[in-house]
Structure formats: C-alpha cells, structure tokens
Amino acid sequence: QVQLVESGGGLVQTGGSLSVSCATAGLTFGNYAMGWFRQAPGKEREFAACIGRNGVYTKYGGSMKGRFTVSRDNAKNVVSLQMNSLTNEDAALYFCAADRRQYPILICDASASRYEYWGQGTQVTVSS
C-alpha cells in the first residue's frame, strides 16, 4: 500500500520561512517524480513545485520561483519543500504527490492529473 505523509506545516509570520516534508512508503521512490501542490480556501488546487526522479530537474509555479526550493533524498524516500519570504498568499494546505516515470524520463510535470498518489496535506498558516 502506497502512503505519502506530509509534515512540517504550522504558523509562520509574514516574511518568514518554513520547510515541509513528505515521507513515502510502499513505492520504489526512485521511480517517481514528486510534486507539491497547494490549495487555499475558495481557490483551486495550484501547482507549487516538482522534482524529477534523480533530483536534478525541478520546476516551480510562477509565484514560487526564487522563494521555494524542492529537494529529495532518495536514500530516505523523502521529498521536501523549503519556503522562504512567505506571505498570506502562501497560506494553504500543501500536498505532496507521486508520478511514476519510466526510464529514461527524468523530468517532472506541473499537471496534477499525472500524479497517481497523494498525501493528506499539511497546513501552512501565515500571520500578518
């Protein structure tokens, strides 16, 4: 059974930083590109970041570029998202997701429909 569990969410002041992580189990981690998505109340699910199977290729949503950094540790089966310069626009439930990619594909995709497995989300709240 595949399981993705996010952690690290919490309350952060405007301008502050926070790192969220996603621990995985039940899958061959290196065979999956990993993505981060977020959803705020009243808004559609939004792509935040993704990373290819070997951790080289990364992609970010427009408002996240320069502020967020996605990384993965294939030995620990964990993907993380470092978030800096946070504002109220970043307050959301953050989900990690896994997208199986066959060799030799090393890229990742911003489309949520590609991702087969999803975590339950971790809440990020930003105080004004």
Side-chain angles (χ1 to χ4, degrees), residues 76-125:
K76 296 181 178 179
N77 299 338
V78 171
V79 61
S80 299
L81 183 68
Q82 176 68 45
M83 301 178 286
N84 300 325
S85 302
L86 290 165
T87 74
N88 286 336
E89 298 297 317
D90 300 310
L93 189 64
Y94 282 74
F95 300 90
C96 68
D99 171 20
R100 187 172 182 269
R101 288 290 200 164
Q102 293 281 4
Y103 176 89
I105 303 301
L106 295 175
I107 62 171
C108 61
D109 200 271
S111 177
S113 64
R114 283 201 55 89
Y115 292 82
E116 304 170 38
Y117 304 109
W118 293 78
Q120 84 291 344
T122 186
Q123 182 67 49
V124 173
T125 304

Side-chain angles (χ1 to χ4, degrees), residues 13-63:
Q13 291 184 339
T14 298
S17 298
L18 191 68
S19 180
V20 294
S21 297
C22 174
T24 69
L27 53 77
T28 303
F29 188 65
N31 288 346
Y32 291 81
M34 299 297 298
W36 285 97
F37 297 81
R38 68 187 190 183
Q39 188 165 26
K43 293 185 178 181
E44 192 174 347
R45 182 174 52 188
E46 179 185 25
F47 170 74
C50 70
I51 187 166
R53 295 189 294 110
N54 67 348
V56 175
Y57 181 91
T58 58
K59 183 185 295 184
Y60 299 92
S63 66

Side-chain angles (χ1 to χ4, degrees), residues 52-73:
R53 295 189 294 110
N54 67 348
V56 175
Y57 181 91
T58 58
K59 183 185 295 184
Y60 299 92
S63 66
M64 296 81 176
K65 290 186 177 73
R67 300 188 301 122
F68 288 14
T69 302
V70 62
S71 62
R72 65 189 292 160
D73 186 337

